[in-house]
Amino acid sequence: MTRVDTWDGAMRLALTEARTALAGDDVPVGAVVLDADGTVIGTGRNTREAEGDPTGHAEVVALRAAAAARGEWRLTGCTLVVTLEPCTMCAGALVLARVDRLVFGAYDDQLGAVGSLWDVVRDRRLNHRPEVVAGVLAAESTALLDTFFARHR
C-alpha cells in the first residue's frame, strides 16, 4: 500500500489518476482517499465517458473504492485529495461519507461547491463539515484541464 506524508505527494498521485482519465478522453480529474495514517485506501478518476456513467466523477469513484477497502461507508478519519474543486454531487458525497478533510487543487468557477459557486461542505445546517485545504498544486491541475478543454474546443 502506498503511504504519503504531504499534501503535495498525495496530489501528485491524484494528478497521475487525472492523466489516466485524460488518456481515456475523460475530463482529467483524479482523486485519492487517505486513511488517518496517510495510506492510500482508494483512488479514482473521471470515468463518465469510459463507462457512460453520469456519477463517474473521480471523487465518487475514489470514495467507493475507499468504502470497499474499509468495508463500511463511513470514512471518518480519512482525507479526500482531488485535483479539482468538487461539484455539488461530490461535495455532498464526501459530507455524507463523513470524510474529515478535503484537499483540492484547482478551483472550479463554473461548478465548484467548496467556495466558488456554493459552499456545501461548510454549510452550518449539515451535521458534518470537513476541514478544507485548497489550492494544492493548483497550477498543475489547471494546466491539465486547460490542455483537455483546448483540444475539445
PDB file of all heavy atoms in Angstrom, residues 120-149:
ATOM      1  N   VAL A 120     -21.040  23.843  -0.079  1.00  0.00           N
ATOM      2  CA  VAL A 120     -21.764  22.719   0.515  1.00  0.00           C
ATOM      3  C   VAL A 120     -21.053  22.198   1.763  1.00  0.00           C
ATOM      4  O   VAL A 120     -21.689  21.948   2.781  1.00  0.00           O
ATOM      5  CB  VAL A 120     -21.941  21.581  -0.523  1.00  0.00           C
ATOM      6  CG1 VAL A 120     -22.499  20.322   0.115  1.00  0.00           C
ATOM      7  CG2 VAL A 120     -22.819  22.052  -1.677  1.00  0.00           C
ATOM      8  N   VAL A 121     -19.749  22.048   1.705  1.00  0.00           N
ATOM      9  CA  VAL A 121     -19.028  21.400   2.807  1.00  0.00           C
ATOM     10  C   VAL A 121     -18.967  22.239   4.081  1.00  0.00           C
ATOM     11  O   VAL A 121     -18.681  21.698   5.144  1.00  0.00           O
ATOM     12  CB  VAL A 121     -17.605  20.967   2.390  1.00  0.00           C
ATOM     13  CG1 VAL A 121     -17.657  19.983   1.232  1.00  0.00           C
ATOM     14  CG2 VAL A 121     -16.731  22.145   2.048  1.00  0.00           C
ATOM     15  N   ARG A 122     -19.225  23.524   3.979  1.00  0.00           N
ATOM     16  CA  ARG A 122     -19.202  24.379   5.171  1.00  0.00           C
ATOM     17  C   ARG A 122     -20.588  24.849   5.599  1.00  0.00           C
ATOM     18  O   ARG A 122     -20.707  25.714   6.464  1.00  0.00           O
ATOM     19  CB  ARG A 122     -18.294  25.586   4.924  1.00  0.00           C
ATOM     20  CG  ARG A 122     -16.830  25.203   4.753  1.00  0.00           C
ATOM     21  CD  ARG A 122     -15.980  26.456   4.589  1.00  0.00           C
ATOM     22  NE  ARG A 122     -14.654  26.157   4.121  1.00  0.00           N
ATOM     23  CZ  ARG A 122     -14.226  26.306   2.863  1.00  0.00           C
ATOM     24  NH1 ARG A 122     -15.022  26.762   1.930  1.00  0.00           N
ATOM     25  NH2 ARG A 122     -12.994  26.009   2.537  1.00  0.00           N
ATOM     26  N   ASP A 123     -21.614  24.281   5.004  1.00  0.00           N
ATOM     27  CA  ASP A 123     -22.986  24.671   5.320  1.00  0.00           C
ATOM     28  C   ASP A 123     -23.305  24.267   6.768  1.00  0.00           C
ATOM     29  O   ASP A 123     -23.286  23.093   7.113  1.00  0.00           O
ATOM     30  CB  ASP A 123     -23.956  23.987   4.352  1.00  0.00           C
ATOM     31  CG  ASP A 123     -25.366  24.525   4.462  1.00  0.00           C
ATOM     32  OD1 ASP A 123     -25.819  24.810   5.594  1.00  0.00           O
ATOM     33  OD2 ASP A 123     -26.028  24.650   3.414  1.00  0.00           O
ATOM     34  N   ARG A 124     -23.572  25.243   7.600  1.00  0.00           N
ATOM     35  CA  ARG A 124     -23.798  25.000   9.028  1.00  0.00           C
ATOM     36  C   ARG A 124     -25.060  24.179   9.299  1.00  0.00           C
ATOM     37  O   ARG A 124     -25.250  23.680  10.414  1.00  0.00           O
ATOM     38  CB  ARG A 124     -23.856  26.325   9.785  1.00  0.00           C
ATOM     39  CG  ARG A 124     -22.520  27.037   9.790  1.00  0.00           C
ATOM     40  CD  ARG A 124     -22.491  28.133  10.840  1.00  0.00           C
ATOM     41  NE  ARG A 124     -21.205  28.789  10.883  1.00  0.00           N
ATOM     42  CZ  ARG A 124     -20.140  28.314  11.509  1.00  0.00           C
ATOM     43  NH1 ARG A 124     -20.215  27.179  12.145  1.00  0.00           N
ATOM     44  NH2 ARG A 124     -19.002  28.976  11.505  1.00  0.00           N
ATOM     45  N   ARG A 125     -25.916  24.048   8.308  1.00  0.00           N
ATOM     46  CA  ARG A 125     -27.125  23.249   8.500  1.00  0.00           C
ATOM     47  C   ARG A 125     -26.838  21.753   8.440  1.00  0.00           C
ATOM     48  O   ARG A 125     -27.663  20.949   8.852  1.00  0.00           O
ATOM     49  CB  ARG A 125     -28.166  23.625   7.446  1.00  0.00           C
ATOM     50  CG  ARG A 125     -28.651  25.067   7.600  1.00  0.00           C
ATOM     51  CD  ARG A 125     -29.478  25.487   6.428  1.00  0.00           C
ATOM     52  NE  ARG A 125     -28.617  25.563   5.243  1.00  0.00           N
ATOM     53  CZ  ARG A 125     -29.024  25.966   4.051  1.00  0.00           C
ATOM     54  NH1 ARG A 125     -30.269  26.305   3.862  1.00  0.00           N
ATOM     55  NH2 ARG A 125     -28.189  26.022   3.042  1.00  0.00           N
ATOM     56  N   LEU A 126     -25.673  21.386   7.933  1.00  0.00           N
ATOM     57  CA  LEU A 126     -25.321  19.971   7.838  1.00  0.00           C
ATOM     58  C   LEU A 126     -24.651  19.502   9.116  1.00  0.00           C
ATOM     59  O   LEU A 126     -24.023  20.285   9.830  1.00  0.00           O
ATOM     60  CB  LEU A 126     -24.394  19.752   6.633  1.00  0.00           C
ATOM     61  CG  LEU A 126     -24.988  20.147   5.277  1.00  0.00           C
ATOM     62  CD1 LEU A 126     -23.959  19.985   4.173  1.00  0.00           C
ATOM     63  CD2 LEU A 126     -26.236  19.327   4.978  1.00  0.00           C
ATOM     64  N   ASN A 127     -24.746  18.202   9.376  1.00  0.00           N
ATOM     65  CA  ASN A 127     -24.199  17.670  10.624  1.00  0.00           C
ATOM     66  C   ASN A 127     -22.713  17.321  10.534  1.00  0.00           C
ATOM     67  O   ASN A 127     -22.121  16.931  11.527  1.00  0.00           O
ATOM     68  CB  ASN A 127     -24.989  16.441  11.071  1.00  0.00           C
ATOM     69  CG  ASN A 127     -24.819  15.265  10.135  1.00  0.00           C
ATOM     70  OD1 ASN A 127     -24.404  15.429   9.000  1.00  0.00           O
ATOM     71  ND2 ASN A 127     -25.139  14.081  10.606  1.00  0.00           N
ATOM     72  N   HIS A 128     -22.127  17.448   9.369  1.00  0.00           N
ATOM     73  CA  HIS A 128     -20.702  17.154   9.215  1.00  0.00           C
ATOM     74  C   HIS A 128     -20.075  18.191   8.288  1.00  0.00           C
ATOM     75  O   HIS A 128     -20.605  18.455   7.208  1.00  0.00           O
ATOM     76  CB  HIS A 128     -20.505  15.742   8.636  1.00  0.00           C
ATOM     77  CG  HIS A 128     -19.060  15.398   8.464  1.00  0.00           C
ATOM     78  ND1 HIS A 128     -18.258  15.051   9.525  1.00  0.00           N
ATOM     79  CD2 HIS A 128     -18.265  15.362   7.364  1.00  0.00           C
ATOM     80  CE1 HIS A 128     -17.030  14.815   9.084  1.00  0.00           C
ATOM     81  NE2 HIS A 128     -17.010  15.001   7.780  1.00  0.00           N
ATOM     82  N   ARG A 129     -18.971  18.763   8.713  1.00  0.00           N
ATOM     83  CA  ARG A 129     -18.269  19.756   7.906  1.00  0.00           C
ATOM     84  C   ARG A 129     -16.779  19.440   7.930  1.00  0.00           C
ATOM     85  O   ARG A 129     -16.110  19.657   8.942  1.00  0.00           O
ATOM     86  CB  ARG A 129     -18.545  21.165   8.433  1.00  0.00           C
ATOM     87  CG  ARG A 129     -19.969  21.631   8.154  1.00  0.00           C
ATOM     88  CD  ARG A 129     -20.257  23.012   8.687  1.00  0.00           C
ATOM     89  NE  ARG A 129     -20.144  23.143  10.126  1.00  0.00           N
ATOM     90  CZ  ARG A 129     -21.044  22.755  11.002  1.00  0.00           C
ATOM     91  NH1 ARG A 129     -22.151  22.174  10.595  1.00  0.00           N
ATOM     92  NH2 ARG A 129     -20.851  22.925  12.291  1.00  0.00           N
ATOM     93  N   PRO A 130     -16.237  18.935   6.820  1.00  0.00           N
ATOM     94  CA  PRO A 130     -14.812  18.597   6.784  1.00  0.00           C
ATOM     95  C   PRO A 130     -13.928  19.842   6.742  1.00  0.00           C
ATOM     96  O   PRO A 130     -14.347  20.910   6.290  1.00  0.00           O
ATOM     97  CB  PRO A 130     -14.665  17.797   5.487  1.00  0.00           C
ATOM     98  CG  PRO A 130     -15.769  18.301   4.615  1.00  0.00           C
ATOM     99  CD  PRO A 130     -16.900  18.636   5.550  1.00  0.00           C
ATOM    100  N   GLU A 131     -12.715  19.674   7.193  1.00  0.00           N
ATOM    101  CA  GLU A 131     -11.683  20.694   7.021  1.00  0.00           C
ATOM    102  C   GLU A 131     -11.386  20.785   5.528  1.00  0.00           C
ATOM    103  O   GLU A 131     -11.436  19.787   4.813  1.00  0.00           O
ATOM    104  CB  GLU A 131     -10.430  20.272   7.777  1.00  0.00           C
ATOM    105  CG  GLU A 131      -9.239  21.164   7.564  1.00  0.00           C
ATOM    106  CD  GLU A 131      -7.957  20.582   8.163  1.00  0.00           C
ATOM    107  OE1 GLU A 131      -8.004  19.586   8.897  1.00  0.00           O
ATOM    108  OE2 GLU A 131      -6.899  21.155   7.866  1.00  0.00           O
ATOM    109  N   VAL A 132     -11.049  21.973   5.046  1.00  0.00           N
ATOM    110  CA  VAL A 132     -10.731  22.163   3.630  1.00  0.00           C
ATOM    111  C   VAL A 132      -9.342  22.774   3.482  1.00  0.00           C
ATOM    112  O   VAL A 132      -9.020  23.769   4.136  1.00  0.00           O
ATOM    113  CB  VAL A 132     -11.768  23.084   2.930  1.00  0.00           C
ATOM    114  CG1 VAL A 132     -11.381  23.360   1.486  1.00  0.00           C
ATOM    115  CG2 VAL A 132     -13.166  22.468   3.008  1.00  0.00           C
ATOM    116  N   VAL A 133      -8.540  22.158   2.614  1.00  0.00           N
ATOM    117  CA  VAL A 133      -7.237  22.679   2.226  1.00  0.00           C
ATOM    118  C   VAL A 133      -7.294  22.882   0.723  1.00  0.00           C
ATOM    119  O   VAL A 133      -7.418  21.914  -0.028  1.00  0.00           O
ATOM    120  CB  VAL A 133      -6.090  21.705   2.603  1.00  0.00           C
ATOM    121  CG1 VAL A 133      -4.748  22.259   2.157  1.00  0.00           C
ATOM    122  CG2 VAL A 133      -6.108  21.400   4.083  1.00  0.00           C
ATOM    123  N   ALA A 134      -7.259  24.124   0.264  1.00  0.00           N
ATOM    124  CA  ALA A 134      -7.459  24.429  -1.155  1.00  0.00           C
ATOM    125  C   ALA A 134      -6.170  24.889  -1.821  1.00  0.00           C
ATOM    126  O   ALA A 134      -5.275  25.418  -1.170  1.00  0.00           O
ATOM    127  CB  ALA A 134      -8.519  25.517  -1.298  1.00  0.00           C
ATOM    128  N   GLY A 135      -6.101  24.689  -3.133  1.00  0.00           N
ATOM    129  CA  GLY A 135      -5.025  25.238  -3.940  1.00  0.00           C
ATOM    130  C   GLY A 135      -3.731  24.442  -3.967  1.00  0.00           C
ATOM    131  O   GLY A 135      -2.712  24.945  -4.426  1.00  0.00           O
ATOM    132  N   VAL A 136      -3.754  23.185  -3.538  1.00  0.00           N
ATOM    133  CA  VAL A 136      -2.541  22.364  -3.536  1.00  0.00           C
ATOM    134  C   VAL A 136      -2.207  21.954  -4.984  1.00  0.00           C
ATOM    135  O   VAL A 136      -3.026  21.326  -5.657  1.00  0.00           O
ATOM    136  CB  VAL A 136      -2.709  21.124  -2.639  1.00  0.00           C
ATOM    137  CG1 VAL A 136      -1.488  20.212  -2.735  1.00  0.00           C
ATOM    138  CG2 VAL A 136      -2.968  21.549  -1.195  1.00  0.00           C
ATOM    139  N   LEU A 137      -1.034  22.354  -5.439  1.00  0.00           N
ATOM    140  CA  LEU A 137      -0.589  22.110  -6.827  1.00  0.00           C
ATOM    141  C   LEU A 137      -1.647  22.547  -7.842  1.00  0.00           C
ATOM    142  O   LEU A 137      -1.860  21.900  -8.859  1.00  0.00           O
ATOM    143  CB  LEU A 137      -0.204  20.644  -7.036  1.00  0.00           C
ATOM    144  CG  LEU A 137       0.938  20.109  -6.164  1.00  0.00           C
ATOM    145  CD1 LEU A 137       1.232  18.655  -6.512  1.00  0.00           C
ATOM    146  CD2 LEU A 137       2.190  20.948  -6.287  1.00  0.00           C
ATOM    147  N   ALA A 138      -2.278  23.672  -7.550  1.00  0.00           N
ATOM    148  CA  ALA A 138      -3.358  24.181  -8.396  1.00  0.00           C
ATOM    149  C   ALA A 138      -2.905  24.447  -9.828  1.00  0.00           C
ATOM    150  O   ALA A 138      -3.643  24.159 -10.775  1.00  0.00           O
ATOM    151  CB  ALA A 138      -3.948  25.451  -7.792  1.00  0.00           C
ATOM    152  N   ALA A 139      -1.711  24.971 -10.019  1.00  0.00           N
ATOM    153  CA  ALA A 139      -1.238  25.287 -11.375  1.00  0.00           C
ATOM    154  C   ALA A 139      -1.127  24.030 -12.226  1.00  0.00           C
ATOM    155  O   ALA A 139      -1.498  24.039 -13.405  1.00  0.00           O
ATOM    156  CB  ALA A 139       0.110  26.009 -11.310  1.00  0.00           C
ATOM    157  N   GLU A 140      -0.649  22.945 -11.644  1.00  0.00           N
ATOM    158  CA  GLU A 140      -0.532  21.698 -12.395  1.00  0.00           C
ATOM    159  C   GLU A 140      -1.903  21.125 -12.748  1.00  0.00           C
ATOM    160  O   GLU A 140      -2.119  20.639 -13.863  1.00  0.00           O
ATOM    161  CB  GLU A 140       0.296  20.684 -11.613  1.00  0.00           C
ATOM    162  CG  GLU A 140       1.749  21.098 -11.484  1.00  0.00           C
ATOM    163  CD  GLU A 140       2.553  20.150 -10.621  1.00  0.00           C
ATOM    164  OE1 GLU A 140       2.376  18.924 -10.739  1.00  0.00           O
ATOM    165  OE2 GLU A 140       3.363  20.654  -9.830  1.00  0.00           O
ATOM    166  N   SER A 141      -2.821  21.183 -11.804  1.00  0.00           N
ATOM    167  CA  SER A 141      -4.177  20.703 -12.054  1.00  0.00           C
ATOM    168  C   SER A 141      -4.861  21.532 -13.131  1.00  0.00           C
ATOM    169  O   SER A 141      -5.499  20.999 -14.042  1.00  0.00           O
ATOM    170  CB  SER A 141      -4.998  20.744 -10.764  1.00  0.00           C
ATOM    171  OG  SER A 141      -4.456  19.886  -9.800  1.00  0.00           O
ATOM    172  N   THR A 142      -4.713  22.843 -13.033  1.00  0.00           N
ATOM    173  CA  THR A 142      -5.314  23.748 -14.011  1.00  0.00           C
ATOM    174  C   THR A 142      -4.739  23.530 -15.404  1.00  0.00           C
ATOM    175  O   THR A 142      -5.482  23.500 -16.394  1.00  0.00           O
ATOM    176  CB  THR A 142      -5.114  25.214 -13.572  1.00  0.00           C
ATOM    177  OG1 THR A 142      -5.738  25.393 -12.290  1.00  0.00           O
ATOM    178  CG2 THR A 142      -5.710  26.189 -14.565  1.00  0.00           C
ATOM    179  N   ALA A 143      -3.430  23.361 -15.505  1.00  0.00           N
ATOM    180  CA  ALA A 143      -2.785  23.142 -16.812  1.00  0.00           C
ATOM    181  C   ALA A 143      -3.319  21.887 -17.480  1.00  0.00           C
ATOM    182  O   ALA A 143      -3.567  21.873 -18.696  1.00  0.00           O
ATOM    183  CB  ALA A 143      -1.274  23.055 -16.640  1.00  0.00           C
ATOM    184  N   LEU A 144      -3.521  20.833 -16.722  1.00  0.00           N
ATOM    185  CA  LEU A 144      -4.051  19.586 -17.271  1.00  0.00           C
ATOM    186  C   LEU A 144      -5.463  19.785 -17.816  1.00  0.00           C
ATOM    187  O   LEU A 144      -5.799  19.342 -18.923  1.00  0.00           O
ATOM    188  CB  LEU A 144      -4.039  18.530 -16.171  1.00  0.00           C
ATOM    189  CG  LEU A 144      -4.038  17.075 -16.549  1.00  0.00           C
ATOM    190  CD1 LEU A 144      -2.923  16.732 -17.515  1.00  0.00           C
ATOM    191  CD2 LEU A 144      -3.926  16.226 -15.290  1.00  0.00           C
ATOM    192  N   LEU A 145      -6.269  20.497 -17.072  1.00  0.00           N
ATOM    193  CA  LEU A 145      -7.637  20.786 -17.513  1.00  0.00           C
ATOM    194  C   LEU A 145      -7.645  21.706 -18.727  1.00  0.00           C
ATOM    195  O   LEU A 145      -8.405  21.475 -19.687  1.00  0.00           O
ATOM    196  CB  LEU A 145      -8.432  21.413 -16.370  1.00  0.00           C
ATOM    197  CG  LEU A 145      -8.765  20.456 -15.225  1.00  0.00           C
ATOM    198  CD1 LEU A 145      -9.081  21.230 -13.960  1.00  0.00           C
ATOM    199  CD2 LEU A 145      -9.908  19.540 -15.621  1.00  0.00           C
ATOM    200  N   ASP A 146      -6.801  22.735 -18.715  1.00  0.00           N
ATOM    201  CA  ASP A 146      -6.727  23.661 -19.847  1.00  0.00           C
ATOM    202  C   ASP A 146      -6.333  22.934 -21.138  1.00  0.00           C
ATOM    203  O   ASP A 146      -6.893  23.201 -22.202  1.00  0.00           O
ATOM    204  CB  ASP A 146      -5.741  24.789 -19.569  1.00  0.00           C
ATOM    205  CG  ASP A 146      -6.254  25.790 -18.545  1.00  0.00           C
ATOM    206  OD1 ASP A 146      -7.465  25.757 -18.215  1.00  0.00           O
ATOM    207  OD2 ASP A 146      -5.439  26.609 -18.064  1.00  0.00           O
ATOM    208  N   THR A 147      -5.387  22.009 -21.036  1.00  0.00           N
ATOM    209  CA  THR A 147      -4.964  21.226 -22.206  1.00  0.00           C
ATOM    210  C   THR A 147      -6.133  20.409 -22.751  1.00  0.00           C
ATOM    211  O   THR A 147      -6.364  20.374 -23.958  1.00  0.00           O
ATOM    212  CB  THR A 147      -3.795  20.287 -21.827  1.00  0.00           C
ATOM    213  OG1 THR A 147      -2.699  21.091 -21.395  1.00  0.00           O
ATOM    214  CG2 THR A 147      -3.375  19.424 -22.991  1.00  0.00           C
ATOM    215  N   PHE A 148      -6.856  19.776 -21.870  1.00  0.00           N
ATOM    216  CA  PHE A 148      -8.004  18.965 -22.292  1.00  0.00           C
ATOM    217  C   PHE A 148      -9.050  19.817 -23.007  1.00  0.00           C
ATOM    218  O   PHE A 148      -9.503  19.481 -24.098  1.00  0.00           O
ATOM    219  CB  PHE A 148      -8.640  18.282 -21.077  1.00  0.00           C
ATOM    220  CG  PHE A 148      -9.906  17.545 -21.410  1.00  0.00           C
ATOM    221  CD1 PHE A 148      -9.856  16.268 -21.950  1.00  0.00           C
ATOM    222  CD2 PHE A 148     -11.147  18.120 -21.189  1.00  0.00           C
ATOM    223  CE1 PHE A 148     -11.026  15.584 -22.259  1.00  0.00           C
ATOM    224  CE2 PHE A 148     -12.316  17.444 -21.492  1.00  0.00           C
ATOM    225  CZ  PHE A 148     -12.250  16.168 -22.033  1.00  0.00           C
ATOM    226  N   PHE A 149      -9.458  20.924 -22.384  1.00  0.00           N
ATOM    227  CA  PHE A 149     -10.516  21.739 -22.962  1.00  0.00           C
ATOM    228  C   PHE A 149     -10.075  22.459 -24.226  1.00  0.00           C
ATOM    229  O   PHE A 149     -10.882  22.687 -25.119  1.00  0.00           O
ATOM    230  CB  PHE A 149     -11.109  22.674 -21.910  1.00  0.00           C
ATOM    231  CG  PHE A 149     -11.939  21.951 -20.897  1.00  0.00           C
ATOM    232  CD1 PHE A 149     -11.547  21.867 -19.579  1.00  0.00           C
ATOM    233  CD2 PHE A 149     -13.111  21.321 -21.288  1.00  0.00           C
ATOM    234  CE1 PHE A 149     -12.309  21.172 -18.651  1.00  0.00           C
ATOM    235  CE2 PHE A 149     -13.891  20.616 -20.372  1.00  0.00           C
ATOM    236  CZ  PHE A 149     -13.479  20.543 -19.049  1.00  0.00           C
TER     237      PHE A 149
END
